[in-house]
């Protein structure tokens, strides 16, 4: 319940009071880090966090750490780092500023520490307010019998005007309509070339220019010739791989020749 | 039962006003994972409440609304109004291409309307399955036209406005004729059909390719 | 009401009258335990419906009732009135008790989002344990937001719709005391002066993440 959530946060103040009374006998683990401890200590000053005396706070903290160290040896590093830093801050605040020293002034550091404390305090209060809100499953509730969404699959059929006309053309065309495919009559395929070469290769006892293997109907037209040359060359390589022929070329752009391998 | 009146009068003092009881019943029923009986409701409400009474009011309040109060056995629950059941469906859509048979049948109807089933079969050279016609009817791309004045008075099919809308046609007359189909390469094997759309602006001469019957339909 | 119906009909042709749309929203809201977005609602309602408008009416209708319409982020949900929580012991469930660290971390994320782990640690002055973050992620109260465009591109955390729903918030802007905190400059991202101990053994993401003001989210 709400009180439970509060408890954690409320405890800080209780602890703060108790602490003040019990002269700082404290389990370090009870604090969530040096900032938490500082916040708790600062709350005992009972002033606006913005007007807090950082010097006094640093003094209290160092005091605390010193005592705590006597009781509990294993003070977490965080606490000691903070102690060292606060000692430094204290000295910066007490001594007149050293003009040769760079970096933020003691006042700036103190102001930031005050800001951090105030911010942490504000967040804790906000957390408490948040937890105190009406909450789902405790103060207000969802629908007890939600209705399952039924999943319905709808199939829509579509067709385009083109489909329609192709369909009609298909029916009305005397000669069998076939869907458009690329007509590759200028293409001499690798399969065709292989087949042709396999038939001819046994006659190639001597080195022969592969150009002589091109089919007649593919030799004249440059487009067809190109396709046939490429395929025949590829087919030749295939046959070399199979170990049936040898292939050679004496120079760049020289004729490519092949010969049956015995 | 006989005690009820007494109890009520006795406890009216402490019991919250009926409007408040109504709210309570509303909340309980809303949040409960199962229907709640009157007894159960009263057990949860402050002493002296009359859940049955509150429910009568509540039920009236929800009349005609998107949810209503229903009695389930001797318990009560809230349910969405049955006429809104369609909202509880999550539809997933899938688009599929029309089958070849359907497209051809549709094409014939669009070019030859009004056309009988027998005529479609004659043109296609295969019989037309019932499913195909039903599908086209369901898509509302075709509908029944006038009966033919031939023996048997067969029904005819014509395309619908929905068909024209879907295919972006103003009228079935806008369908390109055979000549254009040929010009577009649809009747020849070589040319890619991609060239099609440019030739869609129809002119009159496609009439030669269309059968006489249909013109009567477009006479307006 | 009558007027509105007319207006609506003028502007939305086929859309059902607003009263009917209200019923539909009502049914959808009742049917779902999860908040439903306006878009989702409209996707389920007939074409042309204006769910946002219908919800305004619906919300008004449920004012002061046992259940009410609440806005959760971009979505809407039906929830029982908080003052009737006492009737629901049966439905209430115990949320796993959150540690103080988890509560504070959650608060910091909600007020400072999007916020990196290093920033949370900077505010709390201690490192944030993995378990704390995991617990909040598991509750689906926080999720990963976009990465910060700072060295190391650390991930950020933001609160979820589930968070808003759980705490009855319409948006993260409605967090209690947000305005005051912002006015007091306590949501600003103030870089610590150089020599300040960050007090953390946080390795991967470091204090450099603390840069541009994260209050951007709440800027209206």
């Amino acid at each position: 319940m709400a009180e439970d959530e509060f408890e954690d946060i409320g405890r800080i103040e209780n602890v703060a009071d108790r602490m003040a009374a019990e002269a700082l006998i404290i389990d370090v683990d009870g604090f969530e880090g040096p900032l938490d401890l500082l916040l708790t200590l600062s709350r005992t000053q009972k002033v606006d966090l913005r007007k807090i005396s950082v010097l006094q706070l640093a003094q209290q903290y160092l005091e605390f750490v010193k005592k705590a160290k006597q009781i509990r040896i294993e003070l977490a590093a965080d606490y000691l780092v903070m102690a060292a830093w606060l000692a430094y801050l204290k000295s910066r605040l007490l001594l007149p500023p050293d003009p040769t020293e760079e970096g933020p002034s003691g006042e700036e550091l103190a102001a930031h520490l005050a800001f951090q404390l105030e911010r942490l305090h504000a967040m804790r209060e906000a957390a408490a307010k948040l937890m105190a809100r009406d909450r789902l499953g405790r103060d207000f509730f969802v629908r007890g019998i939600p209705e399952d969404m039924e999943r319905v699959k709808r199939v829509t059929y579509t067709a385009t005007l083109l489909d329609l006309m192709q369909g009609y053309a298909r029916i009305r065309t005397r000669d069998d309509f076939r869907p458009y495919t690329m007509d590759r009559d200028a293409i001499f395929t690798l399969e065709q070339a292989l087949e042709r070469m396999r038939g001819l290769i046994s006659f190639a006892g001597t080195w022969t220019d592969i150009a002589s293997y091109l089919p007649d109907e593919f030799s004249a037209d440059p487009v067809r010739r190109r396709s046939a040359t490429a395929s025949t060359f590829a087919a030749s390589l295939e046959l070399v791989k199979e170990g049936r022929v040898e292939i050679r070329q004496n120079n760049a752009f020289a004729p490519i020749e092949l010969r049956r391998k015995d | 039962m006989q005690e009820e009146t007494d109890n009520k009068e006795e406890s009216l003092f402490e019991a919250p006003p009926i409007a408040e009881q109504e709210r309570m019943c509303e909340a309980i029923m809303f949040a409960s994972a199962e229907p709640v009986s009157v007894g159960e409701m009263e057990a949860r409400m402050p002493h002296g409440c009359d859940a049955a009474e509150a429910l009568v009011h509540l039920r009236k309040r929800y009349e005609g609304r998107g949810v209503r109060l229903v009695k389930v056995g001797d318990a009560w629950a809230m349910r969405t109004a049955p006429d809104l059941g369609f909202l509880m469906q999550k539809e997933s859509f899938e688009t599929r291409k029309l089958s070849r048979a359907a497209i051809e049948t549709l094409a014939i109807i669009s070019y030859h309307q009004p056309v009988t089933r027998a005529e479609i079969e004659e043109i296609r050279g295969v019989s037309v399955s019932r499913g195909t016609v039903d599908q086209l009817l369901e898509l509302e791309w075709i509908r029944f036209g006038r009966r033919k004045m031939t023996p048997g008075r067969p029904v005819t099919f014509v395309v619908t406005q929905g068909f024209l809308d879907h295919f972006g046609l103003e009228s079935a007359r806008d369908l390109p004729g055979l000549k254009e189909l040929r010009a577009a390469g649809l009747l020849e094997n070589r040319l890619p059909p991609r060239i099609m759309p440019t030739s869609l602006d129809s002119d009159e001469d496609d009439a030669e390719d269309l059968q006489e019957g249909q013109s009567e339909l477009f006479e307006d």
Side-chain angles (χ1 to χ4, degrees), chain A residues 145, chain B residues 29 34-36 68-72 75-79:
Chain A
I145 321 176
Chain B
M29 268 185 299
E34 46 204 45
V36 194
R68 32 174 230 168
L69 229 55
V70 292
K71 204 160 182 215
V72 185
W76 292 83
M78 283 173 138
R79 293 273 189 267

Side-chain angles (χ1 to χ4, degrees), chain B residues 121-208:
Chain B
E121 293 182 339
E122 198 183 309
I123 297 168
R124 271 197 79 206
V126 273
S127 64
V128 174
S129 83
R130 198 173 170 93
T132 302
V133 173
D134 284 350
Q135 189 182 23
L136 294 173
L137 285 169
E138 205 173 303
L139 281 165
E140 295 186 346
W141 282 349
I142 65 169
R143 61 175 176 81
F144 294 110
R146 267 176 291 178
R147 287 182 180 276
K148 269 247 156 115
M149 300 306 278
T150 51
R153 310 206 61 216
V155 294
T156 60
F157 297 102
V158 294
V159 295
T160 62
Q161 185 61 43
F163 166 88
L164 297 175
D165 290 346
H166 180 91
F167 292 97
L169 298 165
E170 222 158 88
S171 81
R173 251 188 293 207
D174 290 346
L175 283 168
L178 280 188
K179 204 192 250 175
E180 284 164 308
L181 293 180
R182 190 172 293 118
L186 279 171
L187 296 189
E188 275 150 347
N189 298 342
R190 289 286 181 79
L191 292 173
R194 227 171 294 128
I195 314 171
M196 254 331 287
T198 49
S199 58
L200 279 188
D201 17 27
S202 88
D203 33 70
E204 287 318 305
D205 57 9
D206 40 351
E208 49 154 314

Side-chain angles (χ1 to χ4, degrees), chain B residues 22-23 26 40 44 61-62 64-67 81 83 87:
Chain B
E22 214 185 292
R23 286 183 76 224
E26 193 177 27
E40 209 179 317
R44 289 164 73 171
R61 184 183 292 272
Y62 275 100
R65 306 292 316 152
V67 285
D83 66 311
L87 294 169

Side-chain angles (χ1 to χ4, degrees), chain B residues 16-144:
Chain B
I18 193 73
E20 194 56 23
Q21 297 186 31
E22 214 185 292
R23 286 183 76 224
M24 293 177 182
C25 291
E26 193 177 27
I28 291 173
M29 268 185 299
F30 176 86
S32 176
E34 46 204 45
V36 194
S37 70
V38 171
E40 209 179 317
M41 242 175 277
E42 284 180 352
R44 289 164 73 171
M45 291 159 74
H47 187 71
C49 282
D50 183 349
E53 166 90 8
L55 283 168
V56 170
H57 292 279
L58 197 61
R59 185 179 212 176
K60 203 168 278 165
R61 184 183 292 272
Y62 275 100
E63 251 164 39
R65 306 292 316 152
V67 285
R68 32 174 230 168
L69 229 55
V70 292
K71 204 160 182 215
V72 185
D74 52 2
W76 292 83
M78 283 173 138
R79 293 273 189 267
T80 53
D83 66 311
L84 299 178
F86 70 95
L87 294 169
M88 306 306 146
Q89 300 174 341
K90 200 167 228 168
E91 296 184 354
S92 61
F93 292 97
E94 191 187 313
T95 315
R96 276 190 218 154
K97 271 254 179 224
L98 213 52
S99 69
R100 178 174 162 149
I103 285 177
E104 289 182 6
T105 305
L106 182 64
I108 293 168
I109 294 169
S110 63
Y111 274 92
H112 295 267
Q113 63 174 359
V115 62
T116 65
R117 176 192 290 258
E119 288 166 336
I120 298 171
E121 293 182 339
E122 198 183 309
I123 297 168
R124 271 197 79 206
V126 273
S127 64
V128 174
S129 83
R130 198 173 170 93
T132 302
V133 173
D134 284 350
Q135 189 182 23
L136 294 173
L137 285 169
E138 205 173 303
L139 281 165
E140 295 186 346
W141 282 349
I142 65 169
R143 61 175 176 81
F144 294 110

Side-chain angles (χ1 to χ4, degrees), chain A residues 1 4-5 8-9 12 30 32-36 78 81-82 85 88 92 104 108-109 112-113 115-116 118-120 122-124 126-127 129-131 133-143 146-147 149:
Chain A
M1 298 284 127
D4 292 338
E5 318 287 8
D8 280 325
I9 288 139
I12 303 162
E32 294 222 16
L35 211 54
D36 183 26
D78 280 356
V81 169
M82 180 61 91
W85 185 80
Y88 167 78
R92 290 292 296 268
E108 280 168 338
L109 294 175
H112 189 77
L113 179 62
F115 168 73
Q116 278 183 300
E118 197 192 351
R119 183 173 61 182
L120 179 60
M123 277 302 112
R124 289 194 171 158
K129 277 189 208 151
L130 191 62
M131 291 298 151
R133 287 185 68 84
D134 288 331
R135 289 167 59 182
L136 185 71
R138 189 187 73 188
D139 304 297
F140 59 93
F141 295 85
V142 302
R143 178 77 162 130
E147 286 168 46
M149 288 274 276

Side-chain angles (χ1 to χ4, degrees), chain A residues 22-244:
Chain A
E22 292 173 12
L24 304 178
I25 302 168
I26 264 184
D27 178 2
V28 180
D29 298 339
F31 287 102
E32 294 222 16
L35 211 54
D36 183 26
L37 172 56
L38 274 169
L39 182 59
T40 307
L41 292 172
S42 70
R43 304 272 295 155
T44 62
Q45 293 187 15
K46 301 212 191 300
V47 290
D48 186 334
L49 277 170
R50 265 163 291 193
K51 293 174 194 136
I52 201 163
S53 162
V54 170
L55 193 60
Q56 200 188 330
L57 186 61
Q59 193 57 52
Q60 284 177 0
Y61 183 90
L62 294 172
E63 210 53 31
F64 169 82
V65 168
K66 209 169 107 197
K67 285 193 184 167
K69 252 164 80 184
Q70 288 165 4
I71 309 162
R72 305 170 40 91
I73 312 96
E74 69 296 354
L75 250 191
D78 280 356
Y79 286 83
L80 298 178
V81 169
M82 180 61 91
W85 185 80
L86 284 173
Y88 167 78
L89 174 61
K90 211 177 99 183
S91 69
R92 290 292 296 268
L93 287 171
L94 290 174
L95 299 172
D98 178 355
T100 63
E101 192 155 4
E102 289 183 7
S105 69
E107 278 71 26
E108 280 168 338
L109 294 175
H112 189 77
L113 179 62
F115 168 73
Q116 278 183 300
L117 293 174
E118 197 192 351
R119 183 173 61 182
L120 179 60
H121 179 64
M123 277 302 112
R124 289 194 171 158
E125 286 193 323
K129 277 189 208 151
L130 191 62
M131 291 298 151
R133 287 185 68 84
D134 288 331
R135 289 167 59 182
L136 185 71
R138 189 187 73 188
D139 304 297
F140 59 93
F141 295 85
V142 302
R143 178 77 162 130
I145 321 176
E147 286 168 46
D148 286 334
M149 288 274 276
E150 193 187 335
R151 304 208 165 252
V152 183
K153 199 165 159 191
R154 291 263 148 98
V155 180
T156 38
Y157 288 92
T158 60
T160 64
L161 193 53
L162 192 61
D163 293 331
L164 196 68
M165 289 180 307
Q166 278 175 329
Y168 190 65
R170 202 153 54 215
I171 302 156
R172 294 304 304 266
T173 317
R174 284 281 151 79
D175 38 332
D176 254 349
F177 178 82
R178 66 175 170 96
Y180 176 74
T181 52
M182 223 210 289
D183 286 307
R184 292 151 45 106
D185 55 358
I187 304 289
F188 188 57
T189 66
L190 176 60
E191 289 72 33
Q192 287 171 303
L194 253 180
E195 197 168 324
R196 184 177 166 81
M197 297 288 287
R198 287 214 164 97
L200 295 175
I201 195 64
S202 45
F203 303 107
T206 57
W207 289 106
T208 321
D209 188 342
I210 62 166
S212 59
Y213 288 93
L214 303 191
D216 288 342
E217 66 273 26
F218 274 82
S219 335
D221 177 11
V223 176
R224 307 185 99 205
R225 186 180 171 82
R226 192 158 57 219
S227 167
T229 306
S231 300
T232 303
F233 176 62
S236 305
L237 292 180
E238 189 60 34
L239 292 173
V240 171
K241 211 166 109 193
E242 287 174 16
R244 298 187 54 191

